[in-house]
Amino acid sequence: MAKKVRVVHKPSEQEEKAYLERAKNRGYGLPRWLPMVRVLTIASHIPKWGWGPLATIASRFAAWKNYKAVRQWQLNAGVILGRPPTHDETVAAMKSWFRNLAGSVMLGRYSPQQNFRRVVIDDADMQRLATAWRTTGAVVALPHMGDWDLAGAFMCAKGMPVASVAERLPDQEFAYFMAIRSRVGMTIYSHKDGHSLHKLEDDIRAHKVVALLADRDLSRHGVPVVWQTRSGPQHVSMPPGPVLIAQQTGAALLAATCTYEGRRMRIRFFGPIPVEPGEDGLVATSQRLADVFCERVSRTVTDWHLLQRFFPGVVAQ
């Protein structure tokens, strides 16, 4: 039986108010008296069989309420598709997001064998990852698609420990997800850790897979790239971490996407992506990642969990 996650920091009244305000601004639609971490704690005790019906009901409710996060996804998806997403596509996207949430909060409740059964991966894709990991080392860049925590747990269960960076959420949420991910063998650093890049380079040398979400830029040092969407070219910035680590360590750079297929999730790997040196090489290599991400997101936009701002000027009110 999985151990209970304990909050390592008891917030002051001021911190609690700030926490609630941040949750409100993210557009979750939660009442002010119900912080996200309490929702996560409750959700972690839901039986596995209960998540399917709950996700169906919650996704339809979220689409009906049209929360700010839902509206932001619709705007982002509309840029990708070249048209507004339909109501059914919105419901499907919210259901996919709830599946991702369920996968994260229940991550520690699955055995390695159960995680294997939850994933579909072609032999060629598995070989592509394993070869890179055994030889030069592997840096895997992913967009916010499917259940990236499950992908990390899958790699750890295959004997390839994962190191990554996560968004520095409010203290309670961050501690919660840190505890869950560490149980399955992942090493996680905060995106506000100024030494995370060097730590990840050391992780490559320690024979870990570095897996990083790389579509949404959380820093002020993003690399300018162009997403060739059906609405036309979109100038955005993407985080430089995956390419910089590949440049510094000589590790192979792979792109990966996660999409749901029935009750399982498919992981696809692309590459190795050619890595060029220097600042010009950083931009050129990042553009190659952007091309893969944009093409794959356009195929299954309902599994793209970008519920925050992404394209310049595309902001839900």
Side-chain angles (χ1 to χ4, degrees):
M1 181 179 294
K3 297 180 180 178
K4 293 183 178 180
V5 176
R6 295 186 181 274
V7 176
V8 297
H9 168 70
K10 183 174 178 59
S12 65
E13 182 177 350
Q14 183 177 2
E15 290 173 323
E16 183 75 6
K17 289 180 179 178
Y19 177 91
L20 290 168
E21 188 62 29
R22 288 184 62 181
K24 178 182 177 182
N25 291 338
R26 289 203 299 277
Y28 290 144
L30 297 176
R32 295 186 64 85
W33 52 266
L34 185 61
M36 173 57 76
V37 73
R38 293 179 192 165
V39 175
L40 296 172
T41 303
I42 293 169
S44 67
H45 293 89
I46 295 173
K48 296 173 186 177
W49 56 263
W51 270 105
L54 179 61
T56 298
I57 295 170
S59 60
R60 294 187 180 280
F61 182 78
W64 173 66
K65 290 291 288 185
N66 202 27
Y67 293 120
K68 183 178 180 180
V70 177
R71 299 196 302 274
Q72 187 63 59
W73 178 86
Q74 290 173 324
L75 292 175
N76 293 340
V79 173
I80 292 289
L81 297 171
R83 59 166 176 80
T86 66
H87 175 75
D88 287 346
E89 287 170 332
T90 300
V91 172
M94 294 305 103
K95 187 171 183 178
S96 179
W97 184 86
F98 280 112
R99 284 187 67 173
N100 165 259
L101 176 64
S104 294
V105 300
M106 297 200 305
L107 195 64
R109 294 169 60 180
Y110 289 100
S111 68
Q113 292 73 24
Q114 288 174 318
N115 282 331
F116 292 154
R117 292 195 292 270
R118 297 169 65 205
V119 168
V120 180
I121 184 169
D122 292 341
D123 291 342
D125 282 326
M126 190 69 240
Q127 187 62 38
R128 187 174 288 112
L129 172 65
T131 298
W133 176 70
R134 285 197 305 265
T135 55
T136 60
V139 179
V140 179
L142 309 92
H144 285 75
M145 294 183 75
D147 185 348
W148 48 88
D149 278 335
L150 174 57
F154 175 82
M155 286 185 271
C156 288
K158 285 290 186 179
M160 294 177 274
V162 169
S164 187
V165 170
E167 179 182 0
R168 185 62 171 88
L169 298 170
D171 287 348
Q172 293 172 307
E173 287 182 51
F174 189 72
Y176 182 91
F177 283 116
M178 284 279 285
I180 289 176
R181 289 160 178 162
S182 66
R183 284 182 194 165
V184 297
M186 288 190 274
T187 301
I188 305 293
Y189 308 111
S190 163
H191 84 280
K192 291 187 177 180
D193 184 342
H195 302 287
S196 61
L197 192 66
H198 297 302
K199 293 176 181 178
L200 291 168
E201 291 173 3
D202 290 340
D203 287 325
I204 285 286
R205 299 181 182 102
H207 214 45
K208 295 180 180 180
V209 173
V210 169
L212 299 170
L213 291 169
D215 50 354
R216 178 176 172 235
D217 180 32
L218 296 174
S219 71
R220 297 181 180 178
H221 309 288
V223 182
V225 296
V226 178
W227 279 44
Q228 298 292 346
T229 73
R230 294 172 189 169
S231 299
Q234 305 293 322
H235 294 266
V236 302
S237 63
M238 288 180 16
V243 179
L244 286 174
I245 295 168
Q247 285 180 330
Q248 292 297 319
T249 64
L253 176 63
L254 303 174
T257 58
C258 304
T259 54
Y260 291 117
E261 294 185 359
R263 295 190 177 187
R264 298 197 288 177
M265 185 183 77
R266 179 175 291 278
I267 306 176
R268 291 181 173 88
F269 289 95
F270 305 87
I273 308 293
V275 178
E276 299 177 24
E279 290 188 13
D280 290 342
L282 173 64
V283 175
T285 307
S286 296
Q287 184 60 57
R288 294 187 183 105
L289 285 177
D291 292 341
V292 174
F293 288 176
C294 187
E295 194 274 334
R296 302 310 301 187
V297 167
S298 67
R299 287 173 177 254
T300 321
V301 72
T302 53
D303 281 336
W304 189 41
H305 306 310
L306 237 296
L307 279 65
Q308 302 85 13
R309 300 178 186 182
F310 184 68
F311 298 112
V314 180
V315 182
Q317 300 302 319

